[in-house]
Amino acid sequence: MTAELLVSSLQLSTPELILAVGSMVLLMIGVFSGRQSSTLVTGLAVALLIAAGVWMVLISDLGVAYGGSFVQDPFARFMKVLTLIGSITAMAMAVGHAQEEQIDRFEFPVLIVLATLGMMLMISADDLIALYLGIELQSLALYVVAAINRDSTRSTEAGLKYFVLGALSSGMLLYGASLIYGFTGHIGFPEIAAAVAEGERSIGVVFGLVFLLAGIAFKISAVPFHMWTPDVYEGAPTPVTAFFAAAPKIAAMAMLVRVVISAFEPVAPDWQQIIVFVSIASMVLGAFAAIGQRNIKRLMAYSSIGHMGYALVGLAAGSQVGVRGVVIYMLIYMITTLGTFACILAMRRKEEGNVEQIDDLSGLASSNPLMATILTIFMFSLAGIPPLAGFFAKYFVFLAAIESGLYALAVIGVLASVVGAYYYLRIVKIMWFDEAGVSFVPVAGELRVVMGVSGLFVLGYVLVGGPVGRAAGVAAQTLFVAG
């Protein structure tokens, strides 16, 4: 690599360099300042993430860097902005709960920054090695974050389960990548696409693709690689769970879209079968398994599994309209989920601290009508009830499936939505019609902000849907033009 190429590559990846260098500086500040530096490091970490986002949107150019391993295009930029928003919001929500959840350590924000760096590398990865390095940087940080409350057996168990199953998924992904390299002779996505398009379809490439998709499916908690999700969501501290439910899902879905569209578009019928199966399994399991849940974090875990299934409906279409639908779906899902977790973090009582049982929401409308109203809006949106944002999210992915002739997939998705509406509406019923229990303490300021902004977005999506749709369309078009 020449000096000129290296300089241009560094310029393209400046947001990632800001996070990489900044995280090391924050680590030094935390080490030399001790435990009392937690608040300072958290504030600086949020500023660091904001700086990376501003640089990427206003200054950073588009192009390919590091010999084709890293790509900065409109799709990457759009999904990275969503990832940064998710990380910033989750970190801000954790501030008022750090001491109670025993995550008031300076390592927590540093690990969040490192995980976000891994996610940004995943989104921009344009070859198999860069993809794996991004995944592992994100995953290693997330394993530690899940178990950061060392005094909690649940948190330690969650981190251990996540680590063991994550190692298994990484092995599957690496085995798939090695098969793909062995049978195509390339690791770059454009080169793999050209090699696959030139000759006859190789059974070795198909096997490699299956293993690769299995490894990525673990990261988005899609069936049948979802088994870690309910236990980790329940066991990890609630602010950590809020982070898991937002930013990592955005990055993993973006990575999956880029892999199948950029590298394997010539063998679309092969991976479409896999995506359709995973989508149906995720939607159905997410709909039925959540019905019996009594812990609201476990319910949100199964809800997340179901929503990844709905997003995959758009990807299964294999079209530009479908990818646009996936991008819009992930945006709406992230904002609605963050708002919902802000409400879950607000479920705090003076004597008991944070509570997690759905029945603890009994009669919330009488003690805190504003919170009950906002949570009701989020539940209706997750259920896909018009005219809220969640309805449009499902509409776009189902429309893409219908346009591609996947009528059965769309019908199954609609039926799964009907079943899933039951457990969302049950929460609404408990809040508005059950007898009131012990009231919660007043909602913290940062949670009120997240609830308010998320609620306004979900309610007013009909007003901002046009610009959002156009931006998502430009992002999706990039992948197909590049391909």
Side-chain angles (χ1 to χ4, degrees):
M1 182 181 292
T2 63
E4 183 179 347
L5 181 59
L6 178 60
V7 171
S8 64
S9 297
L10 292 173
Q11 289 174 345
L12 280 175
S13 60
T14 299
E16 286 78 11
L17 292 174
I18 291 173
L19 296 186
V21 176
S23 63
M24 297 300 102
V25 173
L26 293 181
L27 185 61
M28 291 299 101
I29 292 174
V31 168
F32 290 111
S33 301
R35 284 182 60 90
Q36 66 272 21
S37 64
S38 175
T39 303
L40 172 63
V41 174
T42 300
L44 292 175
V46 171
L48 200 64
L49 294 172
I50 293 173
V54 170
W55 185 287
M56 184 167 52
V57 172
L58 300 181
I59 301 175
S60 184
D61 294 327
L62 302 179
V64 179
Y66 304 109
S69 295
F70 181 96
V71 59
Q72 185 79 290
D73 55 17
F75 176 78
R77 179 179 285 176
F78 189 96
M79 301 306 280
K80 285 181 183 179
V81 169
L82 293 190
T83 301
L84 288 169
I85 291 172
S87 298
I88 292 167
T89 306
M91 202 182 301
M93 289 196 300
V95 170
H97 298 259
Q99 188 168 1
E100 183 175 343
E101 297 279 356
Q102 297 188 31
I103 58 173
D104 55 335
R105 301 181 173 90
F106 72 86
E107 294 94 337
F108 176 71
V110 175
L111 287 167
I112 296 293
V113 172
L114 287 172
T116 306
L117 171 60
M119 295 173 211
M120 294 176 70
L121 293 175
M122 287 162 57
I123 294 170
S124 283
D126 206 31
D127 68 31
L128 295 172
I129 294 177
L131 178 145
Y132 178 72
L133 291 176
I135 287 178
E136 287 307 297
L137 177 57
Q138 174 213 242
S139 298
L140 290 172
L142 294 185
Y143 300 151
V144 181
V145 169
I148 196 166
N149 184 359
R150 290 173 292 182
D151 298 327
S152 168
T153 305
R154 289 200 316 168
S155 180
T156 306
E157 181 184 354
L160 185 60
K161 286 181 178 177
Y162 196 10
F163 170 70
V164 172
L165 294 172
L168 174 64
S169 75
S170 294
M172 296 174 70
L173 187 144
L174 276 176
Y175 183 59
S178 65
L179 283 174
I180 292 167
Y181 172 67
F183 281 91
T184 64
H186 299 284
I187 58 170
F189 294 166
E191 291 80 10
I192 291 173
V196 171
E198 283 176 2
E200 294 185 7
R201 185 190 67 176
S202 168
I203 192 66
V205 171
V206 174
F207 269 101
L209 177 59
V210 170
F211 279 102
L212 188 71
L213 293 182
I216 299 175
F218 175 91
K219 304 302 176 185
I220 61 172
S221 60
V223 177
F225 306 100
H226 66 286
M227 63 289 290
W228 62 274
T229 314
D231 292 333
V232 173
Y233 270 48
E234 182 182 8
T238 305
V240 174
T241 306
F243 175 64
F244 282 177
K249 296 291 174 65
I250 298 289
M253 185 62 73
M255 177 180 64
L256 175 59
V257 171
R258 188 181 294 280
V259 167
V260 297
I261 299 299
S262 297
F264 295 100
E265 198 275 335
V267 289
D270 293 313
W271 59 256
Q272 278 178 313
Q273 296 177 50
I274 302 170
I275 299 297
V276 167
F277 167 76
V278 171
S279 174
I280 292 174
S282 300
M283 289 188 294
V284 172
L285 183 132
F288 285 96
I291 291 176
Q293 301 302 318
R294 292 293 176 264
N295 183 291
I296 194 164
K297 287 164 69 177
R298 286 188 75 88
L299 183 142
M300 289 302 295
Y302 285 108
S303 170
S304 170
I305 293 168
H307 282 288
M308 292 305 102
Y310 296 123
L312 290 175
V313 170
L315 182 57
S319 63
Q320 184 176 322
V321 174
V323 173
R324 174 178 174 270
V326 174
V327 172
I328 294 173
Y329 198 102
M330 296 309 296
L331 164 65
I332 294 173
Y333 163 80
M334 184 191 75
I335 293 176
T336 309
T337 300
L338 286 172
T340 303
F341 271 99
C343 295
I344 294 173
L345 280 166
M347 293 169 59
R348 178 193 279 182
R349 291 178 177 147
K350 188 174 293 185
E351 298 81 11
E352 305 171 64
N354 276 93
V355 293
E356 299 176 0
Q357 299 304 307
I358 295 173
D359 291 337
D360 291 318
L361 291 167
S362 295
L364 181 63
S366 59
S367 60
N368 193 335
L370 181 59
M371 179 178 165
T373 301
I374 293 175
L375 186 54
T376 299
I377 291 170
F378 293 143
M379 292 298 104
F380 281 162
S381 179
L382 290 171
I385 295 175
L388 302 176
F391 166 77
F392 293 99
K394 291 181 178 177
Y395 170 78
F396 288 124
V397 293
F398 290 157
L399 180 64
I402 291 171
E403 288 184 359
S404 296
L406 301 173
Y407 304 111
L409 180 61
V411 170
I412 293 171
V414 172
L415 294 176
S417 294
V418 174
V419 176
Y422 167 77
Y423 55 82
Y424 295 124
L425 297 179
R426 182 165 65 90
I427 295 176
V428 175
K429 174 259 181 189
I430 288 172
M431 289 191 296
W432 290 92
F433 299 108
D434 282 13
E435 186 177 348
V438 180
S439 60
F440 300 133
V441 299
V443 180
E446 66 274 5
L447 299 182
R448 284 201 298 269
V449 172
V450 175
M451 288 182 199
V453 174
S454 301
L456 287 175
F457 177 85
V458 170
L459 273 176
Y461 182 79
V462 289
L463 303 177
V464 300
V468 169
R470 285 192 291 272
V474 171
Q477 184 181 18
T478 304
L479 295 178
F480 288 87
V481 170

